[in-house]
Amino acid sequence: MSNQLHLQQFQVQLTESISSNIFLKISLGNYQGNEKELKNIYVRKVKIKRTDMLSFTYRYKTRDIFKNFQIAEGIGLINHLLSNDFKIATLFTTEKEVILEHGKKQLISLREKLVKSNLKPSFSHDKEKKRLIQPVGKPYLEALRITDREGKVFKNAQDKYRQINQYIEILSSLIKELPLGTIKNVVDMGSGKGYLTFALYDYLRHVLKLDAKVTGVEFREDLVALCNDIARKSEFNKLEFVEGTIEAYNVNQINLLIALHACDTATDDAIYKGIQANAELIVVAPCCHKQIRREIEKGKVKNELNFLTKYGIFLERQAEMVTDGIRALVLEYFGYKTKVFEFISDAHTPKNVLVVGIKIKGKGTNSKDAKQKAEILKKIEETKAYFGIGYHHLERLFDLRS
């Protein structure tokens, strides 16, 4: 049987399986094209705004890209890819698997395997994901207008619900790096309406089964009253919200300090409080890096980056990187292992940068550590000189000098 006939038969089975609703998915592999790092493509049928479409997942070495096509256009694209770039394809249906493979001597084989499957085609655009914070039976989510009384997430709150879970997933992975039972006292600096604060308390107490106390610090009196009322009605007895600024908050014992989107130097104030309390874990998502930008504009230093920083948008990005870079250096100076990474909590929110400090036990007690601290101070001074920065707020809080 000719190669062309095998291709045609496979294409017919693909088209018929989609039209008869027995299509589960198709996997394209053994990529031989020119696009760097592309490994596989997976295709499934979805319904978007009541229209049937084919959703393509382009699986690269370090990322996935998603594209949706009308049914006919998607089938045409699959046929094109099979004729050119991918050397193997497996069609999964509720009745059988059909495998098309380009073999040796450019011969194409077609084989089928009957299957006994209880799977049914799912046309949901967003695959259901096991969330750490489930919506059912959570009075605080209802009070915060995330869910209705039955635990169904409101349509206009889907993004916020995903964002909450994204943060909890990140914090969960960081908490697991600490010895079991470390987290006993948590402070959320700038807790706002308390979305994350409530969810983190729920996760620590009811998922991890930790006897943890959580405090939200917020300067808006009405939000503090609202959150304390919700905490009381939810019977969250070790969750409280206090009125005040990050700068004025009295440091007690803290194991985990969080500050999400504390504006400009308020992030430095939060890091300062966490280091003062010798917190085992510090997690901040900075925003509004105004202080260092003003310093760079005032310094007007000429260097190799002038061709970039003459543009406002590039200056803003440079100020963000320098600000958070020095914050990471200060954390390292005080014995923290640091991580700085970018994430997108969902498709509809901007990128966020998290600066994380994990306390290294015993760090700073020997001559090697002293040498490293001197090198860090030197690096901070060199960075400030290069960009014409008079001071960094966090550095000033600790009165650091090289």
Side-chain angles (χ1 to χ4, degrees):
M1 190 177 291
S2 69
N3 287 347
Q4 191 60 36
L5 186 56
H6 279 145
L7 277 171
Q8 290 175 352
Q9 285 187 337
F10 186 84
Q11 292 163 4
V12 167
Q13 295 205 56
L14 169 64
T15 302
E16 289 181 347
S17 70
I18 293 173
S19 62
S20 61
N21 287 328
I22 64 170
F23 173 78
L24 295 174
K25 65 179 179 179
I26 184 170
S27 170
L28 309 182
N30 193 10
Y31 178 66
Q32 301 295 319
N34 297 321
E35 195 167 352
K36 189 177 180 181
E37 295 189 340
L38 179 59
K39 302 295 183 182
N40 305 89
I41 294 179
Y42 302 97
V43 185
R44 62 190 186 95
K45 188 178 177 181
V46 298
K47 191 177 289 291
I48 302 176
K49 294 182 179 179
R50 300 182 181 180
T51 301
D52 290 338
M53 302 187 76
L54 290 179
S55 179
F56 284 60
T57 300
Y58 291 73
R59 182 67 49 82
Y60 290 83
K61 186 176 181 180
T62 58
R63 70 191 192 283
D64 291 347
I65 292 178
F66 305 93
K67 297 180 181 179
N68 300 315
F69 298 94
Q70 299 289 339
I71 296 294
E73 184 183 8
I75 291 175
L77 177 56
I78 292 171
N79 294 339
H80 172 77
L81 293 169
L82 284 177
S83 300
N84 294 277
D85 299 328
F86 287 90
K87 301 308 178 185
I88 187 168
T90 304
L91 169 64
F92 298 88
T93 75
T94 58
E95 299 174 353
K96 60 184 176 181
E97 295 176 7
V98 185
I99 302 170
L100 179 78
E101 186 171 9
H102 294 251
K104 295 180 179 179
K105 298 181 181 180
Q106 297 186 342
L107 294 177
I108 298 178
S109 64
L110 185 69
R111 59 186 187 274
E112 299 180 7
K113 180 173 68 173
L114 296 177
V115 296
K116 292 182 179 181
S117 174
N118 295 322
L119 292 176
K120 294 181 180 180
S122 172
F123 304 134
S124 173
H125 185 225
D126 295 316
K127 288 186 175 180
E128 291 297 320
K129 181 178 179 180
K130 179 68 174 177
R131 303 285 185 183
L132 292 177
I133 301 300
Q134 292 295 305
V136 179
K138 303 294 172 66
Y140 70 90
L141 290 179
E142 181 187 352
L144 292 170
R145 303 297 298 161
I146 301 295
T147 69
D148 61 17
R149 187 169 297 179
E150 284 71 41
K152 183 178 179 181
V153 179
F154 290 119
K155 187 175 181 180
N156 63 357
Q158 293 284 343
D159 291 345
K160 177 60 69 175
Y161 176 65
R162 283 193 291 267
Q163 185 184 58
I164 290 169
N165 273 281
Q166 177 78 17
Y167 277 124
I168 296 300
E169 287 170 11
I170 291 171
L171 289 172
S172 173
S173 66
L174 295 171
I175 290 169
K176 289 176 181 177
E177 294 190 35
L178 302 174
L180 187 64
T182 296
I183 304 300
K184 296 177 182 177
N185 289 282
V186 180
V187 176
D188 183 1
M189 298 283 198
S191 54
K193 201 172 180 180
Y195 294 105
L196 176 64
T197 326
F198 282 103
L200 181 58
Y201 181 89
D202 185 13
Y203 177 70
L204 293 174
R205 300 280 300 191
H206 303 129
V207 178
L208 295 185
K209 307 297 182 184
L210 296 177
D211 185 23
K213 178 184 177 182
V214 178
T215 303
V217 180
E218 173 56 45
F219 74 92
R220 287 167 288 187
E221 182 182 0
D222 58 332
L223 293 183
V224 172
L226 171 68
C227 291
N228 276 325
D229 184 54
I230 295 173
R232 184 175 61 255
K233 290 177 180 177
S234 301
E235 297 183 354
F236 286 180
N237 300 322
K238 286 198 171 184
L239 171 62
E240 69 168 338
F241 294 82
V242 297
E243 183 184 350
T245 64
I246 296 173
E247 183 181 10
Y249 182 76
N250 290 324
V251 174
N252 295 306
Q253 184 183 3
I254 301 174
N255 306 116
L256 166 57
L257 181 137
I258 308 165
L260 302 183
H261 307 127
C263 187
D264 197 20
T265 55
T267 293
D268 296 311
D269 294 331
I271 295 173
Y272 176 68
K273 297 292 184 180
I275 293 174
Q276 275 191 317
N278 205 31
E280 283 84 355
L281 179 59
I282 297 173
V283 181
V284 298
C287 73
C288 306
H289 304 65
K290 297 176 183 177
Q291 186 254 319
I292 289 299
R293 175 169 178 162
R294 288 193 295 267
E295 286 291 306
I296 294 175
E297 289 174 327
K298 185 170 64 176
K300 296 180 180 179
V301 170
K302 300 294 183 182
N303 58 38
E304 296 89 338
L305 296 180
N306 287 136
F307 78 101
L308 288 177
T309 54
K310 69 178 181 179
Y311 303 106
I313 184 64
F314 290 151
L315 174 60
E316 181 178 344
R317 291 175 182 174
Q318 189 65 67
E320 290 176 4
M321 290 188 289
V322 173
T323 303
D324 293 335
I326 293 179
R327 285 167 173 162
L329 285 172
V330 173
L331 281 164
E332 291 171 8
Y333 177 87
F334 286 101
Y336 286 82
K337 177 180 72 173
T338 58
K339 299 181 181 182
V340 179
F341 57 92
E342 187 178 67
F343 74 100
I344 303 175
S345 55
D346 56 65
H348 307 288
T349 58
K351 295 177 180 178
N352 297 268
V353 169
L354 280 184
V355 180
V356 176
I358 303 173
K359 187 70 176 178
I360 303 173
K361 190 174 182 179
K363 186 73 172 175
T365 58
N366 56 47
S367 58
K368 181 180 178 181
D369 292 335
K371 181 180 179 182
Q372 289 176 342
K373 293 177 80 169
E375 291 173 351
I376 289 171
L377 292 181
K378 181 181 178 183
K379 174 59 69 177
I380 292 173
E381 289 299 325
E382 290 174 346
T383 302
K384 287 161 51 187
Y386 184 80
F387 288 100
I389 297 169
Y391 76 99
H392 185 291
H393 186 68
L394 182 59
E395 168 212 29
R396 176 174 282 185
L397 287 173
F398 283 109
D399 193 26
L400 296 180
R401 295 289 187 272
S402 60

